[in-house]
Each structure stands twice: as structure tokens, then as C-alpha cells.
Amino acid sequence: MNAALVAVLLSLVSACAYAAAAVAQERLASRASDAGPLRMLTSGAWWWAVALNASAALLHVVALKYGPLTVVQPLGALTLVAAVPLGARLAGRRVSAIEWRGTGLTLLGLGALLLTASGPAPDDVLSVPEALTVSGATAALIGVLSWPGARPGLRHATASGIASGVASALTQTVTVAVTDRSGPLLSVQVIGVAVLVAAFATGGLLLSQTAYRGGLGAPLAVVTLANPVAAALIGLSLLGERLRGGAGGVLLALTGAVLAAWGVLQLSRATPEPGRHEPAAPVLTGPEPEPEPNPAPEGPPPAGLVPRQPGPGHLTPL
């Protein structure tokens, strides 16, 4: 089987697992918005989300062995496409028209990106100085985005996407270095970069959990866009990956990126259709007052209700 096809198939399954994990995290965050990281460790739902993320990450690692970052990372946008119907299903509602439109635009844009990004299996890796430089710059950027301020959900989502994208680029370095058998299995490069991968992957998971407190759509859309952008920048600038097709390929890639971004924007702005609401409970305002007796009417009673009076010298029969 073609290596690029293997990478695509693994990325699709990984995206579905990431989508299930994102929905689980969002539902957990909505139920326990004030819960701290330590309290999350006692939640079974949290560990279920962690297991889903770990499975998706493992599939992602294998996909990076067979395909370059410019192919594997854009397919991560399918996480949002899968999360939309899954979240709607669990919420008991139908997928809206704007959500379907956003899904179609995202898929169309990804198709254009894949036509230009398809390339051979990766064979270049980050050196130790390059990995440390990328990690230091990423940590500084994450610190700035995590600083208290306005719109914390979107900023934490951006930081989470960047952390996950950098973790993917570092993961590719570890995978290629371990499997090419050109050096020792547990070299300083492999161990050091593996530690950085664990740090950025954990940080991305915690940052996304914080971002989902404000809902799933917009934060997940930002994570979905920031992740491949960060990884693609590393792949194109440091790993020697290139787009196919020359100037036409670049134009097609830009068009696909615009379409995918437009689709993600549609998905993030989609308003869920209102579901079924339970009937409102009656408002208790105390005991109802007893009805007052009708007062006697003033003036002479109606003629039809006046008893017939006996005439003079006659007795009324009993």
C-alpha cells in the first residue's frame, strides 16, 4: 500500500478519536467549570478523555512515520468535522444547515491542500539545537497567550493548537530517528526530544480543557487551525518539506487554506438548533387565598325570584 495512503487512513481514524475526546472534554468542562487540575484526576470522564487522546496521538505518531507534516497535520481539521455531528448527537439535536455547509467547505479546502502537499515519506529530523530553539520559542508564545486577559477561551485554544502542532513536529523527529536505525536507539537526541514531546502534549491537553469551558465550537475551530499551521511552518522551514506544483501548487494550497478556514469559521459560528425543553415547573407563591363570599345584592331582588305572597285571608300551603 502507498505510504501516503497509509498516512491518510491513520490520520482519519486519529481525527475521529480526537473528536470523541474533544466532545468528552467539553461535556466535562461544562459540568465542572470551576474544577481544578487536581480534581480532574479523580474524574472517570477525564481519564476516558485522556485515553481517547492517547489513542489518537499514537495513531498520529504512526501516520507521521509514513507521511510528511504537510499531509498529516491538515487532516487534523477533520477532528472538527467529526466533532460537530457527534456533539449534536449527544446533545439530542440535529446538525444545522450552516454546520453542514462548514463541513463541506472544510473538506473541499483539505482536498486542495492534500493535492499540493502530497510528498514522500519524511527522512529529515530536527537537530538538538533546532528542537531546543523551537521549544523555547513555543513555550514563550504559550506563556504570552496564557496570560490573564480578554477572551481567555480563544487564547488558550490557540496555545493548545500551537503546543499540539509542535509536539507533532517533535514526534516526527523521534519516530524517524528511532526507526531509521542509523544511530543508537536511546540517544540523547531521542530521549531529550521525547521529553519535550510529553511536555507539549500534556500542556496542549490541559490548555484545551481550559478553553472548552466556554463551549466546543469556536475553541475547537481555533485549535484545529493553529495545530497544522504551527506544524507546517516547522516542516517547511526546518525539515525541507515542499509543496508540489510550483506557483500553481502554491496558489491551489492558498485557495484550499482559505476554503478550509472559511469552513471552520462557519462551524465555529453555527448556532445549535434549540432542543426539546422540559415544561417549566410551577412557581410557588404561597397558599392561594380563599374566595370571598359574594355580598348580598343591594336593592330589590329581581321579579322572577320574589316568592308569591298569600292574599288576604289565605294561608300559604305547607
Side-chain angles (χ1 to χ4, degrees):
M1 185 180 293
N2 190 355
L5 180 59
V6 173
V8 169
L9 292 177
L10 291 173
S11 298
L12 292 177
V13 181
S14 174
C16 292
Y18 273 128
V23 173
Q25 285 183 266
E26 188 272 337
R27 292 175 66 86
L28 178 62
S30 63
R31 292 197 304 266
S33 58
D34 297 331
L38 294 180
R39 190 172 181 180
M40 290 289 184
L41 298 179
T42 62
S43 171
W46 163 254
W47 287 110
W48 172 246
V50 171
L52 285 172
N53 273 298
S55 301
L58 181 61
L59 292 170
H60 189 77
V61 169
V62 181
L64 287 173
K65 169 59 183 172
Y66 292 98
L69 281 170
T70 49
V71 171
V72 175
Q73 290 305 119
L75 288 172
L78 294 177
T79 297
L80 182 60
V81 176
V84 168
L86 180 59
R89 175 71 176 176
L90 294 178
R93 63 176 181 85
R94 294 181 178 179
V95 180
S96 64
I98 189 174
E99 288 173 324
W100 284 123
R101 184 164 60 251
T103 300
L105 289 170
T106 303
L107 290 174
L108 187 60
L110 284 174
L113 287 173
L114 288 176
L115 289 177
T116 60
S118 299
D123 55 3
D124 198 3
V125 296
L126 294 175
S127 63
V128 174
E130 288 175 339
L132 292 176
T133 301
V134 169
S135 300
T138 303
L141 182 56
I142 290 175
V144 172
L145 291 172
S146 302
W147 197 261
R151 305 181 71 84
L154 295 182
R155 289 189 292 105
H156 283 89
T158 305
S160 174
I162 293 174
S164 300
V166 172
S168 296
L170 296 175
T171 299
Q172 187 184 55
T173 293
V174 174
T175 304
V176 174
V178 169
T179 56
D180 65 357
R181 300 179 181 179
S182 61
L185 182 61
L186 297 178
S187 63
V188 175
Q189 180 189 28
V190 172
I191 296 176
V193 176
V195 171
L196 294 174
V197 168
F200 281 115
T202 304
L205 180 63
L206 295 177
L207 287 167
S208 65
Q209 181 67 56
T210 304
Y212 293 149
R213 291 179 180 178
L216 180 65
L220 182 57
V222 173
V223 171
T224 303
L225 284 177
N227 187 322
V229 168
L233 287 176
I234 296 175
L236 294 173
S237 61
L238 298 177
L239 296 179
E241 298 180 2
R242 294 291 181 268
L243 298 177
R244 298 173 59 186
V250 172
L251 180 60
L252 182 59
L254 291 176
T255 304
V258 171
L259 288 175
W262 188 14
V264 170
L265 184 61
Q266 295 289 314
L267 289 170
S268 66
R269 290 181 175 178
T271 302
E273 297 177 358
R276 296 180 179 178
H277 299 281
E278 296 294 332
V283 180
L284 300 179
T285 57
E288 297 183 0
E290 297 181 0
E292 298 180 0
N294 294 329
E298 298 179 0
L305 298 179
V306 178
R308 185 171 57 88
Q309 298 297 327
H314 294 81
L315 298 178
T316 304
L318 297 175

